[in-house]
Amino acid sequence: MRTARSRDRYRRPLKNSMIALFTVSCALAVTSCSGASDDPKASPTPSAAQPTKSADPTETAKKDAVATYQAYWKEVAKLYADRSGKSAHLKKYAASAALKNVESDAKQAHDHNRIHIGKVTVGSPTVTDLDVKSKTPRATLSSCLDISQWKVVDAKTKKPLSLPSDRLTKYVIKSEVERWPGGWRVIRDEPQGKRC
């Protein structure tokens, strides 16, 4: 015959198991409902719709490096167009020599009462070399920089300034981009003196 004490000994593990099972059930219910939406038009998240394949790190690095380089030139154009320099966010996309050179050249233009308006086009950016395994991953890019629609004007009058007729407006440019803790950064940008 079991005593009251021995019955409690058998009931305690059962009670603890029931509490644990209830807790897990509640957690699962909350988790499964947390992604749901009250909007019937809302589409399921990609992970819920189908499992995503793991991306090739090399291809991802190439795409990210190119995207950073294109964003960099948009910010360069903003910096040259704004004498205050407040509208550009160049430090998000550039560092090292590239950042110093662009800031210095833009300041020099602004000091001479010049701004650049229009757009810069980065044509056919291609990753020619990539090292994703080093401590600081690095990519080398080659592209055709088109500045034919980027006009140098007087900052006050907005009148175009005369420039040499033989200057290159579409040329090959070689660039180096590194992946830093905050993302990819253009660190070097070198015109090659060749038409494209």
Side-chain angles (χ1 to χ4, degrees):
M1 182 171 168
R2 289 183 183 167
T3 65
R5 225 184 213 174
S6 65
R7 274 182 285 184
D8 283 348
R9 191 172 1 138
Y10 292 107
R11 285 184 188 163
R12 242 183 245 133
L14 181 61
K15 184 178 177 184
N16 290 343
S17 298
M18 296 285 281
I19 290 171
L21 182 61
F22 178 73
T23 304
V24 170
S25 298
C26 288
L28 288 173
V30 169
T31 304
S32 65
C33 292
S34 65
S37 171
D38 293 335
D39 183 5
K41 295 177 186 174
S43 60
T45 59
S47 59
Q50 59 185 351
T52 55
K53 295 178 184 176
S54 59
D56 177 5
T58 300
E59 288 306 310
T60 300
K62 285 180 181 179
K63 286 177 186 174
D64 291 347
V66 167
T68 295
Y69 190 66
Q70 290 172 324
Y72 159 78
W73 271 103
K74 285 181 183 176
E75 295 305 316
V76 168
K78 285 182 192 176
L79 180 64
Y80 273 84
D82 178 14
R83 289 183 75 182
S84 73
K86 291 178 182 175
S87 63
H89 301 286
L90 197 59
K91 289 181 182 176
K92 285 184 179 179
Y93 306 103
S96 198
L99 179 62
K100 288 177 190 172
N101 292 341
V102 170
E103 287 180 335
S104 173
D105 291 349
K107 184 181 183 316
Q108 187 176 13
H110 296 157
D111 288 348
H112 286 91
N113 202 37
R114 297 175 181 172
I115 59 171
H116 293 60
I117 58 172
K119 70 175 186 170
V120 178
T121 304
V122 180
S124 305
T126 307
V127 176
T128 59
D129 189 36
L130 180 68
D131 180 5
V132 291
K133 293 183 179 176
S134 67
K135 186 177 179 181
T136 304
R138 176 180 292 205
T140 303
L141 282 75
S142 178
S143 53
C144 179
L145 196 68
D146 181 353
I147 59 169
S148 61
Q149 302 302 309
W150 204 28
K151 307 297 181 192
V152 183
V153 300
D154 182 280
K156 291 178 183 172
T157 66
K158 304 297 187 279
K159 288 184 179 176
L161 300 173
S162 61
L163 298 169
S165 58
D166 62 342
R167 75 186 183 107
L168 286 176
T169 57
K170 291 182 183 179
Y171 53 89
V172 176
I173 191 162
K174 184 179 174 183
S175 313
E176 285 187 33
V177 186
E178 288 184 347
R179 187 168 62 207
W180 290 24
W184 287 90
R185 298 288 186 273
V186 178
I187 59 162
R188 193 168 287 108
D189 217 17
E190 299 173 348
Q192 300 298 294
K194 296 187 291 187
R195 292 184 188 279
C196 56

